[in-house]
Amino acid sequence: MTDYSERYPAEFADVDFETLAVRAGQQRTHEGEHAEAIFPTSSYVFRSAAEAAARFAGDEPGNVYSRYTNPTVRTFEQRLAALEQAEACAATASGMAAIYAVCMAHLKSGDHLVSSRSVFGSTNVLFEKFLRKFDIEVTYVDLLDLDSWRAALQDNTRVLFLESPSNPVIEVADIAAIAELAHQRDALLVVDNCFCTPALQQPLTLGADLVTHSATKYIDGQGRCIGGAVVGSEALIEPVVGVLRSAGPTMSPFNAWVFTKGLETLALRMKAHSDNALALARWLQKQPAVVRVNYAGLESHPQFDLAKQQQRHPGGVLSFEVVGGQQGAWQVIDATRLISITANLGDAKTTITHPATTTHSRLSEDERARAGIGDGLLRIAVGLESIDDIIADIQRGLAALAI
Ligand SMILES: *Cc1c(COP(=O)(O)O)cnc(C)c1O
C-alpha cells in the first residue's frame, strides 16, 4: 500500500489563502487519486473484535460511524478551518444546525444572549421560540450602536451574536469592538460569516470566538446543497461536536465533497461577486427612480472605511430603494427576465427579492421601518453573469417606473 501523506501533506504552514483553499485537508488513499475522494459510507469495519472495542472506547483513533466522523467531511472541516485561521471546525447539516449547535453547547437555562436585531429569519425564530422555551433570555440591540451592546450586558450574559454585513440593509459591525465588550464579561462573540465567507472576512482574527456558516450560500456557490459549519478553538468546538454527535445534524459526505470543491474557487468567486455588485451599485446610484443604495463598497456608505479595513472586498449583496413603494418594487421585479425571483443568495445566478413581503414579512410595519426596510426596498444577491446583462435586466424594471 502506498502512503502519499509525506509527499502531499494535509496541513501547511506559510502558504496563502488561495493555496489553502485548493490543498488543505486532503488525505489521499493508497490509490493516489488526484481529486478528493468521497466516502459515502454510514459505518466502518474493524479487523478484529478487540479493535472494535478499542475504537468504541476511544483508546484507538479511527472511524466508527459517520454521524461521528467521515473522511470526506473531515477534509471539508480541515480546509474551512485553515481558511478561517481556526484550530477546529465542525460541519453541520445546515447553517441553522450550526447556530443551533452553538446555542446548545454554550448556553444553558438561566443564561442570557445578546443578538443584533437584524439577523436571519430562522435565527430569530430559534432564539424566540426555542431558546426562550428553555429559559434563556434574549435581548436585541442595534448592530451599529456600541452603547446599546454595552447596556444590554448582564451578569448572566454568555453569548453575543451578530451578522455583518447585515441583511438586507448592509450595515457593517465593528467586530473587534464588540468582541472586546464580550470579553470584558467573559462572554463569547459568535459571528455568522455567511455573507462574507473567509475569503472576505476572518472574524476570529478580529477577536470573535466562534464563526458560523451557512455553506448553502457562497461556499457551495451554485445553489446545490444545504450545509453549514462552526469554526473556532479546539476548546470551544469540542462541546459543539458533542451536541452534533448526539443530536445528529451532521453533514453528509456528498455535501461535504461538493462544499470542498466550492472552497477551491471561493476567493475568485467572492472577488467576482464583489466586482459585479460594485458596478451595479454605482450604476443604481445614478438612476432617477432609485432613492437610496445600500452597499458597503460605495464611498457614501456610513461604514465604508470600517468595511474596507475589515473585509477584503465589499461582498455580493446589495439593496436599493425605488420610488413608488411596494408597487414600484414589484414592478421592477416583474419586469426582469434574467434575474431569478428568489430569496436565496450566494449563487452564481443573480437573485432579487422584496424583503418587506418575503424575508421580513413577519416583522410589523414599525419594526421594518426601524430596521430601514421600506416598502420600496429591493435586495439583490449579485451573481456571476455579465454585469452588462444584469444591469440591462434591472434597467427594464426601472424604465417601467413613473418618476
Ligand atoms: C441562509 C442563512 C442561514 C441559514 O442557513 P441554512 O443553510 O439555510 O440553514 C443563516 N444565516 C444567514 C445569514 C443566512 O443567509
Side-chain angles (χ1 to χ4, degrees):
M1 293 240 257
T2 316
D3 180 2
Y4 292 91
S5 62
E6 216 168 289
R7 172 64 182 81
Y8 298 105
E11 285 181 56
F12 300 88
D14 304 328
V15 300
D16 290 334
F17 185 96
E18 288 77 3
T19 308
L20 293 172
V22 174
R23 298 267 179 194
Q26 182 171 8
Q27 316 263 356
R28 283 191 169 75
T29 72
H30 65 274
E31 301 287 357
E33 69 282 356
H34 188 207
E36 290 72 5
I38 175 167
F39 294 89
T41 182
S42 51
S43 65
Y44 303 85
V45 294
F46 312 105
R47 282 168 297 187
S48 66
E51 188 176 76
R55 291 262 182 96
F56 270 79
D59 295 339
E60 187 184 283
N63 301 304
V64 170
Y65 189 53
S66 277
R67 175 152 47 76
Y68 297 172
T69 57
N70 175 279
T72 320
V73 176
R74 191 182 313 124
T75 292
F76 169 71
E77 290 172 334
Q78 289 182 354
R79 193 165 297 182
L80 183 59
L83 296 183
E84 288 280 11
Q85 297 191 39
E87 280 175 10
C89 170
T92 57
S94 67
M96 285 320 304
I99 299 170
Y100 159 80
V102 166
C103 292
M104 289 291 282
H106 292 289
L107 288 168
K108 62 180 187 321
S109 166
D111 285 349
H112 177 231
L113 166 86
V114 182
S115 169
S116 59
R117 196 167 279 120
S118 47
V119 287
F120 186 67
S122 296
T123 305
N124 192 248
V125 175
L126 176 72
F127 292 169
E128 283 302 303
K129 205 169 156 190
F130 298 102
L131 291 195
R132 284 198 198 275
K133 185 169 132 180
F134 294 99
D135 205 19
I136 294 162
E137 274 186 277
V138 187
T139 304
Y140 296 97
V141 297
D142 181 338
L143 182 70
L144 301 181
D145 183 359
L146 284 179
D147 287 336
S148 78
W149 283 97
R150 195 177 293 113
L153 298 177
Q154 305 173 179
D155 289 342
N156 58 344
T157 306
R158 295 272 65 89
V159 171
L160 280 63
F161 184 92
L162 64 85
E163 286 173 25
S164 183
S166 70
N167 177 31
V169 293
I170 320 295
E171 291 174 334
V172 178
D174 187 340
I175 295 175
I178 297 170
E180 209 177 301
L181 286 179
H183 297 156
Q184 283 166 7
R185 291 289 182 134
D186 278 334
L188 303 175
L189 174 62
V190 180
V191 175
D192 180 333
N193 202 24
C194 169
F195 270 46
C196 277
T197 82
L200 303 189
Q201 170 174 285
Q202 295 163 318
L204 299 175
T205 68
L206 298 165
D209 300 285
L210 286 168
V211 165
T212 64
H213 278 289
S214 168
T216 315
K217 313 294 168 52
Y218 289 107
I219 289 179
D220 176 8
Q222 296 175 50
R224 300 164 293 192
C225 289
I226 303 261
V230 188
V231 290
S233 66
E234 296 272 9
L236 293 177
I237 292 298
E238 196 189 298
V240 172
V241 169
V243 171
L244 295 170
R245 286 181 173 194
S246 298
T250 49
M251 183 179 279
S252 81
F254 177 76
N255 287 11
W257 183 82
V258 171
F259 293 136
T260 298
K261 289 301 176 187
L263 290 177
E264 294 184 358
T265 55
L266 188 63
L268 288 171
R269 287 187 287 107
M270 292 313 289
K271 179 171 190 314
H273 281 292
S274 299
D275 289 349
N276 267 358
L278 182 59
L280 177 62
R282 289 203 169 125
W283 179 83
L284 283 167
Q285 264 190 321
K286 288 186 259 163
Q287 306 311 307
V290 174
V291 184
R292 190 163 54 103
V293 183
N294 303 312
Y295 186 61
L298 294 174
E299 287 81 354
S300 58
H301 189 283
Q303 294 99 46
F304 174 76
D305 290 329
L306 175 64
K308 220 171 160 178
Q309 240 176 8
Q310 202 166 265
Q311 300 177 206
R312 216 173 184 183
H313 300 291
V317 182
L318 61 81
S319 62
F320 62 104
E321 189 148 357
V322 294
V323 296
Q326 178 182 321
Q327 196 191 351
W330 281 21
Q331 264 179 321
V332 173
I333 290 183
D334 290 341
T336 61
R337 289 291 170 267
L338 179 76
I339 297 174
S340 314
I341 308 172
T342 168
N344 199 25
L345 62 99
D347 197 296
K349 299 178 175 72
T350 299
T351 66
I352 190 164
T353 191
H354 181 240
T357 52
T358 60
T359 52
H360 292 71
S361 59
R362 279 180 304 104
L363 301 185
S364 69
E365 210 165 310
D366 254 16
E367 288 172 317
R368 275 201 297 275
R370 195 144 63 120
I373 304 167
D375 288 341
L377 191 77
L378 290 162
R379 191 200 72 192
I380 298 202
V382 186
L384 302 177
E385 302 96 336
S386 146
I387 186 58
D388 296 336
D389 294 328
I390 296 169
I391 287 175
D393 207 33
I394 303 281
Q395 191 161 29
R396 263 190 282 275
L398 292 180
L401 290 182
I403 309 162

